[in-house]
Amino acid sequence: EDYGEQLAQYLVHGVDVWLNNPVPLMEACGTSGMKAALNGVPQLSIGDGWWLEGYNGKNGWSLDVGKEKESSNQADADAIYELLEKEITPLYYDVSADGVPQGWVRIMKETIKSSAPNFSTRRMIKEYAEKFYSKAFRGFEKETS
């Protein structure tokens, strides 16, 4: 409630994992997660919205919850806690001798690498131009010739 640019700015600063667990099939689009990903924040999300297309197995974690007819809050919570306890937290705290969490940094870099070219205004405009505007323009040229 009352989510806006200022709140989004605070949320993205200093976030280590972007947890997104809406009711399955109810994700609007995921622009906040996209923004976090562009800033190197790995995602922990359900396979819905942008994460359905954005997840590549190396840039975060995908929850396979809620695929049944009715999602169980307890099953969803169990899946989240299991990932946090067994994969995410150990990876985050696994640091090299010089104090760098190399595995975590690798996921952060992959998050940026996989998100930046695919979830940007440039991609959106290019797709609109190729799929819609060029066809409309060709149709307009035929009408005016």
Side-chain angles (χ1 to χ4, degrees):
E1 192 170 315
D2 296 329
Y3 181 78
E5 289 179 29
Q6 190 67 44
L7 180 57
Q9 182 179 7
Y10 290 133
L11 290 173
V12 172
H13 289 184
V15 172
D16 295 311
V17 177
W18 194 264
L19 173 61
N20 182 45
N21 61 330
V23 174
L25 305 178
M26 299 297 288
E27 172 64 276
C29 65
T31 54
S32 296
M34 290 178 207
K35 183 183 349 181
L38 292 172
N39 285 283
V41 179
Q43 311 284 300
L44 169 55
S45 183
I46 66 168
D48 193 9
W50 88 283
W51 200 230
L52 184 61
E53 181 183 353
Y55 177 63
N56 70 7
K58 299 182 289 184
N59 59 353
W61 300 267
S62 185
L63 293 163
D64 293 327
V65 296
K67 292 190 176 181
E68 309 83 35
K69 277 188 174 179
E70 291 189 30
S71 177
S72 160
N73 287 339
Q74 187 60 53
D76 295 354
D78 290 345
I80 291 169
Y81 285 123
E82 184 170 339
L83 275 170
L84 284 170
E85 291 174 10
K86 294 183 177 175
E87 292 184 38
I88 298 170
T89 304
L91 182 65
Y92 183 82
Y93 285 105
D94 182 19
V95 296
S96 63
D98 57 354
V100 177
Q102 294 176 346
W104 193 263
V105 171
R106 185 172 42 257
I107 290 177
M108 290 175 66
K109 288 180 177 182
E110 179 63 31
T111 298
I112 296 169
K113 180 180 156 188
S114 64
S115 301
N118 296 314
F119 300 96
S120 64
T121 303
R122 178 185 172 119
R123 174 191 171 195
M124 177 190 67
I125 295 298
K126 183 178 178 185
E127 283 187 16
Y128 281 160
E130 291 172 354
K131 292 181 178 181
F132 306 110
Y133 298 144
S134 63
K135 291 176 185 176
F137 183 70
R138 283 194 299 271
F140 176 75
E141 282 182 325
K142 289 179 184 177
E143 288 180 16
T144 58
S145 323

